[in-house]
Amino acid sequence: MTSPTITLDHLIQTRLTEIAEDAWRDHRVMPVKSGDGRVLGLGTSAVWEQWHCQADHGYGVCGEPLLTHQQASTLLGMYNDDEPVPDPQAPPVEIELLDPSRGCFMPEVLFHFSDVVAEYKKG
């Protein structure tokens, strides 16, 4: 009798599903289904929406796009490890994401799009 084989793709997909479930349960953050996202543009840069906030921050359901550190840095024209939004008005959300450059899951911070826009306007 042979034991079942778990492929790396299956393991990664399972972990991504767990992360999405945890993000919804703990922060009311949902992943955007492939193809359902928007292009978020700011200045001459643009990124693809991957997450959105469904939390109520006191004014009803938020619904804002959430950007990773790398996405926020891209929109703000930053190409180093500086914090792209040092004083966000909406609380950033900490989740774990797959980092293709490192080939593993890493802690990541998601910033509300309005905070990135406000930081852009400061510059």
Side-chain angles (χ1 to χ4, degrees):
M1 182 173 174
T2 61
S3 60
T5 303
I6 298 175
T7 66
L8 182 58
D9 286 346
H10 179 70
L11 187 63
I12 291 171
Q13 186 59 46
T14 301
R15 185 67 191 119
L16 290 172
T17 301
E18 291 171 352
I19 289 169
E21 290 170 355
D22 292 347
W24 173 248
R25 183 189 67 236
D26 298 339
H27 304 290
R28 287 298 183 251
V29 169
M30 295 185 71
V32 175
K33 293 180 182 175
S34 178
D36 290 346
R38 297 168 281 185
V39 175
L40 305 171
L42 198 56
T44 58
S45 299
V47 296
W48 189 255
E49 179 184 20
Q50 296 180 32
W51 296 86
H52 62 274
C53 179
Q54 294 296 295
D56 184 345
H57 304 299
Y59 309 101
V61 175
C62 178
E64 267 197 55
L66 294 168
L67 305 175
T68 64
H69 184 285
Q70 183 178 3
Q71 288 176 314
S73 294
T74 298
L75 290 179
L76 294 172
M78 301 168 66
Y79 301 103
N80 52 30
D81 290 333
D82 290 344
E83 194 66 26
V85 185
D87 299 310
Q89 296 300 305
V93 177
E94 293 185 17
I95 63 172
E96 191 178 358
L97 290 179
L98 178 63
D99 185 343
S101 65
R102 298 186 188 210
C104 61
F105 290 95
M106 301 288 292
E108 180 65 271
V109 177
L110 300 178
F111 298 100
H112 285 74
F113 185 57
S114 60
D115 286 324
V116 176
V117 171
E119 197 65 27
Y120 178 80
K121 288 180 179 176
K122 284 183 193 174

